[in-house]
Amino acid sequence: MKFVCDVCGYVYDPAQGDSAAGIAPGTAFEALPEDWVCPLCGASKASFSEA
């Protein structure tokens, strides 16, 4: 399941991960560190909703 940033619209896709933050492909949103932020706008993990 993908998650979208409510602030800027960035979509976190677990299949792709977030290479810039060292998040490997296949990492579920729930498994992201609590201090992970949106790579586009810096919004917190709490600012994301299921897409």
Side-chain angles (χ1 to χ4, degrees):
M1 178 172 293
K2 297 178 183 178
F3 286 78
V4 63
C5 177
D6 297 331
V7 177
C8 73
Y10 169 81
V11 176
Y12 175 76
D13 182 350
Q16 295 180 1
D18 179 5
S19 60
I23 306 298
T27 303
F29 184 81
E30 295 80 8
L32 293 173
E34 286 305 313
D35 62 351
W36 179 84
V37 296
C38 176
L40 294 185
C41 73
S44 71
K45 191 175 165 183
S47 297
F48 281 73
S49 303
E50 292 181 7

